[in-house]
Amino acid sequence: MNNDAHFSQLTRFLIGTASLGITLFAVSAYGAFINTIIVALILGIVFTPFMVRLTKKRFPHWLALLTTMVTVVGIMVGLFLFFLYSLAQLNTAVPVYAAELEHLNEQVFDFFESIGADVEDLDSLAALIEPTELIDFVTELLSTLVGILSDGITVLLILAFLLVGASGFAAKTERLIHNGNPGLKRLYKFNNDIRHYIIITNNVGLAAGAINAIFLTIIGVDFAILWGVLSWLLSYIPMVGFILALIPPLLLGLLEFGWVTALVILVGFIAINSAIDDFIKPKMMGEGLDIAPVMVFISVVFWGLILGPLGAILAVPVTVGIKQLVLEPDPDNYWIAELISHKPVDDEHSVAADRVNE
């Protein structure tokens, strides 16, 4: 007998909603620990092939593992020291920028007053947007990145354990997939999709960050290299990352050189990043991760609220994992996977058909 028959559809909906709420509350409460595990898993997915290639080149397993870990540690320590130094330099310059921002506010007020605008309304608006808050936004963003990198010891420990058994696990997985295990087949596809997504996003974001840094250096904006590196890291956040990366150099360009330079920076950033995101990245990404654009945006906002700032960076991999490993294998919920999919649903290429073909 089906036990669900004793419950109405409304009751099952309320029970499911309550269970989901409790789960999300628990995930949010332990968000820092969950972020650590997810980051370690993604790093393991990305760097396992690197270690395997070293092993195939007749590196001893321990040396391949050590080389991989040193590479990861070098990247994390390098970024940590760079952001720490940049944050110290930026904090030193904050009083100067705050004074320039106050002066800019006075110029704006004088302009609107000269054309007969209501100055009292402008005072109310200025009370909502304090100059120091705009500067604090930039420093808080950098402080968050420094904090994330400083918590990397746990990530490295988990990553080390993952890499220790990576070679043997890969061999077992390939054998089981060859024998027709559908669960591991989905896991293998997810593993490849995420690795492809991270590598392409990293390479494209690195190129965009380098071009942005050169562009800002030519203009003469302070901390141009910092904003280029920040642009690279924030490229992992779809849609929203570009806006966050634009704010600091746009603000400094406005304070240092005025409205015309700020407009040049705005147009330049839009042109550079639109060309890369709309033309270069799609060609390199291919079919991508099969997530609808609106769902990408919703996932960034949702996981950012649940898991904090790092959740926005991890939003796409987490959403893809839920779609491929949880929703698609479930006959009762595969329709949700189809709804959030980017591909049009038809009889031949639906998730349901894919499940039947397995």
Side-chain angles (χ1 to χ4, degrees):
M1 178 180 291
N2 188 357
N3 293 329
D4 289 343
H6 297 291
F7 298 101
S8 66
Q9 185 174 357
L10 176 61
T11 302
R12 291 197 299 270
F13 172 77
L14 292 176
I15 293 175
T17 303
S19 301
L20 179 62
I22 294 172
T23 302
L24 292 177
F25 177 79
V27 170
S28 179
Y30 296 97
F33 179 69
I34 293 174
N35 284 339
T36 299
I37 295 176
I38 296 175
V39 170
L41 288 173
I42 291 177
L43 288 176
I45 290 173
V46 172
F47 282 95
T48 294
F50 174 72
M51 189 185 72
V52 171
R53 281 196 296 269
L54 293 178
T55 304
K56 291 181 179 179
K57 292 181 179 180
R58 299 188 178 181
F59 275 61
H61 185 268
W62 67 268
L63 183 57
L65 174 62
L66 180 62
T67 303
T68 305
M69 291 301 300
V70 168
T71 302
V72 176
V73 171
I75 295 173
M76 294 181 65
V77 171
L79 287 174
F80 175 77
L81 294 177
F82 174 76
F83 280 119
L84 200 61
Y85 172 78
S86 300
L87 188 59
Q89 295 291 105
L90 189 60
N91 283 331
T92 303
V94 161
V96 177
Y97 296 138
E100 292 178 350
L101 194 54
E102 290 283 3
H103 178 65
L104 180 64
N105 279 349
E106 293 175 2
Q107 291 180 330
V108 172
F109 272 81
D110 292 340
F111 169 76
F112 280 103
E113 189 174 16
S114 66
I115 62 175
D118 191 346
V119 180
E120 292 183 359
D121 292 340
L122 293 176
D123 285 332
S124 301
L125 180 61
L128 298 175
I129 307 176
E130 290 291 335
T132 53
E133 291 181 359
L134 294 174
I135 300 294
D136 288 344
F137 166 78
V138 179
T139 55
E140 184 178 347
L141 183 62
L142 293 179
S143 299
T144 300
L145 291 172
V146 171
I148 291 172
L149 291 170
S150 65
D151 295 334
I153 296 178
T154 307
V155 172
L156 293 174
L157 289 175
I158 298 175
L159 177 62
F161 282 108
L162 290 174
L163 292 177
V164 166
S167 300
F169 179 78
K172 294 177 183 178
T173 302
E174 290 179 2
R175 184 172 65 252
L176 291 171
I177 290 175
H178 182 72
N179 293 334
N181 189 299
L184 282 177
K185 184 179 180 180
R186 283 188 292 270
L187 183 60
Y188 183 78
K189 181 180 183 301
F190 168 74
N191 184 77
N192 288 339
D193 287 347
I194 293 301
R195 182 186 298 116
H196 180 70
Y197 168 78
I198 294 295
I199 291 175
I200 296 300
T201 300
N202 178 79
N203 294 342
V204 171
L206 191 60
I211 297 173
N212 289 335
I214 295 172
F215 171 65
L216 294 174
T217 301
I218 294 173
I219 293 177
V221 177
D222 290 345
F223 306 104
I225 296 178
L226 171 62
W227 309 135
V229 174
L230 192 64
S231 174
W232 162 49
L233 293 179
L234 292 178
S235 67
Y236 286 98
I237 306 178
M239 304 178 186
V240 181
F242 162 69
I243 299 174
L244 295 176
L246 172 62
I247 292 175
L250 183 64
L251 178 60
L252 287 191
L254 176 62
L255 296 179
E256 292 181 76
F257 305 106
W259 295 98
V260 176
T261 300
L263 182 61
V264 171
I265 293 174
L266 177 63
V267 173
F269 257 65
I270 292 176
I272 293 169
N273 292 275
S274 296
I276 291 176
D277 289 339
D278 296 338
F279 296 101
I280 298 176
K281 188 175 180 178
K283 290 182 179 180
M284 296 179 66
M285 191 72 73
E287 295 184 355
L289 297 177
D290 192 21
I291 297 291
V294 65
M295 286 306 305
V296 173
F297 178 77
I298 292 174
S299 68
V300 168
V301 176
F302 178 78
W303 291 115
L305 294 173
I306 297 296
L307 297 175
L310 189 57
I313 297 177
L314 302 175
V316 172
V318 171
T319 302
V320 172
I322 293 174
K323 174 179 177 291
Q324 293 187 0
L325 303 179
V326 178
L327 297 177
E328 289 184 1
D330 188 347
D332 294 327
N333 293 312
Y334 72 80
W335 60 272
I336 302 177
E338 289 192 338
L339 285 179
I340 67 177
S341 174
H342 183 51
K343 296 177 182 177
V345 178
D346 54 50
D347 293 336
E348 294 181 0
H349 297 96
S350 67
V351 176
D354 290 340
R355 295 186 72 260
V356 171
N357 290 333
E358 290 179 356

